[in-house]
Amino acid sequence: MVLYKLQDFEPNYRDTLEGQDINGLGVYTQGTDEKVGTVSDILVDEEGHFRYLVVDLGFWIFGKKVLLPIGRARIDYNADRVYTIGLTREQAEDLPEFSERQALDYDYEERVRGIYRQPTDYVKPVDPLLPLEATPPVDTTYQKPVTPTHNRDSYNYEQEPSLFGLNEQDHQTLRLYEERLIASKRRQKTGEVAIGKRVETDTARVAVPIEKERVVIERVTPADAGTAVSGREADFRGGEVARVEIHEETAEIRKEAFLREEVRVKKVVDQETVETQETVRREELDVNSGNLPVEER
């Protein structure tokens, strides 16, 4: 089963805990009030259920962190303390060290659970690096071997309520959590529109009326044609020339620039509603009272 740090699983977990935080609470042995260390983290499963407290054993074993199953802890918010149930210094020494770099697989958890399962019949593991003659003798009248009875393929935490159950005596308040969808918006760039100008050419035609002069020679027979004239009137001279100036108009074309139109660029915001769906989880309370009457309020 996969385990997560509470901070990673639910960054805003302090809001759901009504401002109360287990991280940083001192850890004490039950009955003797001997301080063991402090809670440095909380591990939860895929459904958000508390499974282990990560305890820094600074007051017992400097620099060592171990896992404490939630069922072996009693949280006292009034005293800002966490009490361990049945944890001895010898057990703490034999617990595998917790490291964030180490994989929390089934085998690692079994090493942890094996030490907590029978605290009164606890068997100190034999160090395989020590020769047999260096191994302390085993008092068989007190210690019994612990035989694993769990299967890695079917194991779940509910099989061991003594380690992971939340009982009324040690956990007076149960907080049931549920997930909700929180809708938010973020602004992101989807693209840009580039607006520029380009020059296109076209052929324009214009009609301009022009005038051209031409010479018209008319020959007219006068009314007195055939009438004899005197010698003085008949003045025959050669080389006489009549000159007439001819003019014409030519079209002159020139270009001028005129303002045609203005283009105004602006942005408008359109609103629409986007619907989405997601699976959310919710914790429900399971009450197993047998045949005893239970009243829920």
Side-chain angles (χ1 to χ4, degrees), residues 209-216 245-251:
I210 60 174
E211 293 180 351
K212 292 183 178 181
E213 295 178 344
R214 59 192 175 91
V215 176
V216 179
E245 291 184 353
I246 303 299
H247 298 88
E248 71 174 17
E249 295 177 334
T250 58

Side-chain angles (χ1 to χ4, degrees), residues 5-297:
K5 286 185 178 182
L6 181 58
Q7 175 69 32
D8 297 335
F9 184 84
E10 176 51 69
N12 298 322
Y13 73 91
R14 292 179 180 83
D15 297 337
T16 61
L17 293 177
E18 301 176 356
Q20 295 176 327
D21 195 353
I22 303 176
N23 280 335
L25 295 185
V27 180
Y28 297 79
T29 57
Q30 191 178 40
T32 64
D33 275 358
E34 179 182 2
K35 189 167 185 179
V36 175
T38 57
V39 177
S40 64
D41 225 320
I42 304 165
L43 301 183
V44 300
D45 61 16
E46 299 102 322
E47 298 180 354
H49 298 132
F50 285 19
R51 294 308 181 190
Y52 295 99
L53 301 182
V54 181
V55 179
D56 186 344
L57 299 175
F59 284 79
W60 269 3
I61 308 172
F62 180 76
K64 183 177 182 180
K65 293 181 180 180
V66 298
L67 297 185
L68 176 66
I70 191 64
R72 291 297 174 88
R74 183 171 67 85
I75 303 171
D76 188 344
Y77 286 108
N78 295 326
D80 289 335
R81 287 186 174 188
V82 174
Y83 292 96
T84 64
I85 301 175
L87 179 65
T88 65
R89 184 188 290 266
E90 185 180 26
Q91 286 176 304
E93 292 174 350
D94 296 329
L95 280 170
E97 185 171 0
F98 170 78
S99 173
E100 295 183 0
R101 296 185 297 272
Q102 181 173 352
L104 299 180
D105 54 14
Y106 176 84
D107 294 330
Y108 176 85
E109 287 192 73
E110 272 298 293
R111 292 171 57 197
V112 174
R113 293 189 289 255
I115 293 178
Y116 284 107
R117 278 177 180 136
Q118 299 184 23
T120 57
D121 298 326
Y122 174 65
V123 176
K124 179 179 178 64
V126 176
D127 190 342
L129 300 180
L130 293 178
L132 293 177
E133 59 270 14
T135 305
V138 176
D139 184 359
T140 56
T141 62
Y142 172 74
Q143 297 175 331
K144 295 184 296 184
V146 178
T147 303
T149 58
H150 303 284
N151 186 290
R152 70 169 59 241
D153 298 325
S154 61
Y155 180 83
N156 62 73
Y157 296 109
E158 283 69 25
Q159 294 174 355
E160 297 190 274
S162 63
L163 296 182
F164 303 104
L166 301 177
N167 56 71
E168 181 181 356
Q169 176 182 357
D170 299 326
H171 307 88
Q172 296 293 331
T173 302
L174 297 181
R175 294 181 173 89
L176 304 181
Y177 300 95
E178 69 177 7
E179 294 178 327
R180 298 179 180 177
L181 294 181
I182 306 299
S184 61
K185 299 186 296 184
R186 63 185 179 90
R187 188 180 181 89
Q188 63 181 9
K189 180 179 178 180
T190 57
E192 64 181 15
V193 177
I195 302 173
K197 297 191 301 182
R198 71 177 185 275
V199 177
E200 292 186 354
T201 60
D202 197 2
T203 300
R205 298 180 182 276
V206 61
V208 180
I210 60 174
E211 293 180 351
K212 292 183 178 181
E213 295 178 344
R214 59 192 175 91
V215 176
V216 179
I217 300 175
E218 294 181 355
R219 292 186 176 188
V220 181
T221 301
D224 56 352
T227 305
V229 297
S230 64
R232 289 178 299 179
E233 293 179 357
D235 186 8
F236 293 93
R237 291 181 298 176
E240 186 176 353
V241 177
R243 298 182 180 276
V244 179
E245 291 184 353
I246 303 299
H247 298 88
E248 71 174 17
E249 295 177 334
T250 58
E252 293 182 356
I253 305 300
R254 61 187 177 87
K255 295 185 291 186
E256 291 185 359
F258 295 88
L259 178 63
R260 180 165 61 93
E261 63 178 342
E262 288 183 345
V263 177
R264 298 179 180 178
V265 180
K266 64 179 181 179
K267 296 191 298 183
V268 296
V269 179
D270 296 328
Q271 291 186 344
E272 63 179 13
T273 301
V274 178
E275 293 187 0
T276 185
Q277 63 182 21
E278 185 59 65
T279 301
V280 297
R281 297 173 294 179
R282 180 177 61 196
E283 295 181 344
E284 296 290 349
L285 188 64
D286 291 332
V287 180
N288 185 4
S289 61
N291 296 325
L292 299 176
V294 176
E295 179 182 356
E296 293 189 17
R297 299 181 178 179

